[in-house]
């Protein structure tokens, strides 16, 4: 079971009113839904009566009603509040309940703590969020293990996501280092297609991709910067272990202008109808196999001890 951190599991927009949504965290099935106050609630996705997934049910009067025999459960504590055909005068035994997990919504993402009581601070809203002209959210499941997904994030981010019109390179600006509990490194980037290098030989690249991998959370932040250190775009990507060696991820991307500041006219034209970012949910095993080992080699030395401490707590 994944404990010791607030896990960002879905964007807020993925959990509409009235409709429960299933998500698997580690091996744990969880159902998310909104109660009568539109607050997100998280319960074990298994009815205590006959083990049917509660996510097959529906939200009625702010409680989650099981699809099979209609028992209803309160989101805040998992208590069964109603059993059809049982007279109100008989009440519902307090032992009829399902595990409930604390939740928190922040900056368009839903966080869950997989234990009855959180023992860590709430995720902070983004400080000094630049006026975002573009904000995108997404989530999915990658068919590679958590450890391999993390290594690909570090060594080949172009296999995880692309910003149309921007090409990441493997020209690193120094070694990865530990800064404020994060493993941080930078590489150069240029205007161009992710898959088609610029035709002219480029020696002066106008962009930087900074990678910040947190030791405290399963989270990595990619910042696209100008060489003057101005932030043009920021991808916050959370990833957690999924079942059967998969990885669940959820992300938010903000961009300071619709067309990245400084983007050449040709690139603007070529990317006119493209989304600001594409986070891939299919990954080519051949590309991953060919990926050279890069900054992931520093993971064990730089932040693995801190990450291990967090998982033990
Ligand atoms: S299985 Fe859920 S109420 Fe019976």
């Amino acid at each position: 079971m994944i404990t010791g951190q607030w896990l960002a599991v879905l964007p807020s927009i993925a959990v509409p009113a009235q409709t429960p949504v299933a998500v698997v965290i580690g091996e744990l099935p969880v159902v998310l839904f909104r109660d009568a106050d539109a607050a997100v609630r998280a319960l074990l996705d298994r009815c205590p009566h006959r083990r049917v997934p509660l996510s097959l049910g529906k939200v009625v009067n702010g409680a989650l009603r099981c699809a099979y025999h209609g028992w209803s459960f309160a989101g805040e504590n998992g208590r069964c509040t109603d059993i059809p055909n049982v007279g109100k005068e008989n009440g519902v035994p307090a032992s009829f309940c399902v595990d409930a997990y604390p939740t928190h919504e922040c900056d368009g993402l839903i966080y869950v703590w997989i234990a009855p009581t959180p023992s860590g601070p709430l995720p902070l809203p983004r400080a000094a969020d630049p006026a975002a002209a573009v904000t995108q959210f997404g989530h999915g499941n990658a068919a590679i293990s958590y450890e391999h997904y993390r290594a690909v994030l570090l060594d080949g981010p172009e296999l995880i996501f692309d910003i149309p019109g921007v090409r990441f390179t493997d020209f690193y600006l120094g070694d990865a280092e530990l800064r404020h509990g994060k493993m941080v490194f930078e590489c150069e980037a240029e205007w161009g297609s992710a898959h088609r290098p610029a035709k002219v030989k480029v020696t002066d690249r106008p962009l930087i991709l900074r990678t910040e991998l947190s030791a405290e959370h399963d989270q990595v932040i990619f910042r696209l910067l100008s060489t003057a250190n101005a932030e043009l775009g920021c991808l916050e990507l959370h990833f957690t272990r999924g079942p059967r060696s998969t990885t669940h991820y959820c992300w938010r991307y903000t961009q300071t202008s619709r067309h990245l500041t400084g983007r050449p006219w040709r690139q603007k034209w070529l990317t006119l109808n493209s989304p600001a970012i594409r986070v891939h949910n299919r990954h080519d095993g051949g590309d991953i196999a060919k990926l050279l080992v890069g900054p992931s080699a520093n993971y064990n030395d730089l932040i693995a001890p801190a990450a291990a401490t967090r998982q033990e707590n």
Side-chain angles (χ1 to χ4, degrees), residues 86-104:
V86 172
K88 295 279 183 214
E89 65 282 0
N90 295 325
V92 176
S95 59
F96 288 13
C97 65
V98 62
D99 289 350
Y101 308 108
T103 57
H104 178 65

Side-chain angles (χ1 to χ4, degrees), residues 132-191:
V134 176
T135 305
Q136 278 181 236
F137 295 92
H139 64 99
N141 292 290
I144 50 177
S145 71
Y146 168 88
E147 284 78 10
H148 287 125
Y149 191 78
R150 184 183 64 213
V152 176
L153 281 170
L154 298 176
D155 295 342
E158 68 278 6
L159 300 185
I160 300 291
F161 72 96
D162 76 278
I163 298 173
V166 174
R167 194 177 84 85
F168 309 138
T169 76
D170 52 6
F171 291 98
Y172 294 102
L173 300 166
D175 293 328
E177 57 186 47
L178 192 62
R179 280 188 223 162
H180 309 295
K182 292 178 179 173
M183 174 176 162
V184 180
F185 60 92
E186 295 176 342
C187 64
E188 294 180 328
E190 60 197 18
W191 302 115

Side-chain angles (χ1 to χ4, degrees), residues 46-54 65-73 83-84:
R46 200 161 55 210
C47 180
H49 184 212
R50 298 291 295 274
R51 304 289 187 258
V52 167
L54 289 170
R65 179 182 287 175
C66 178
Y68 201 178
H69 307 101
W71 292 20
S72 293
F73 299 90
I83 299 178

Side-chain angles (χ1 to χ4, degrees), residues 82 146 157 227 258:
D82 184 54
Y146 168 88
T227 45
R258 171 67 187 91

Side-chain angles (χ1 to χ4, degrees), residues 189-251:
E190 60 197 18
W191 302 115
S193 160
H195 303 294
R196 201 181 318 151
K199 284 190 179 142
V200 287
K201 189 167 184 223
V202 177
T203 53
D204 184 19
R205 297 186 175 83
L207 301 169
I208 292 169
L209 182 70
R210 179 186 296 158
T211 303
E212 303 172 1
L213 178 68
S214 170
E216 290 183 10
H217 305 99
D218 290 328
Q219 177 208 67
V220 62
I221 293 177
F222 295 96
R223 298 184 197 278
L224 186 67
L225 307 169
S226 71
T227 45
N229 224 26
E231 186 173 301
L232 308 179
C234 177
L235 172 65
E236 180 181 324
L237 192 149
H238 301 257
F239 56 105
T240 52
R241 287 178 202 281
R244 302 175 190 272
S245 294
T246 59
T247 303
H248 177 76
Y249 60 87
C250 132
W251 55 269

Side-chain angles (χ1 to χ4, degrees), residues 35-49:
D35 67 13
D37 298 323
V40 174
R41 302 297 187 180
L43 300 175
L44 181 66
D45 193 10
R46 200 161 55 210
C47 180
H49 184 212

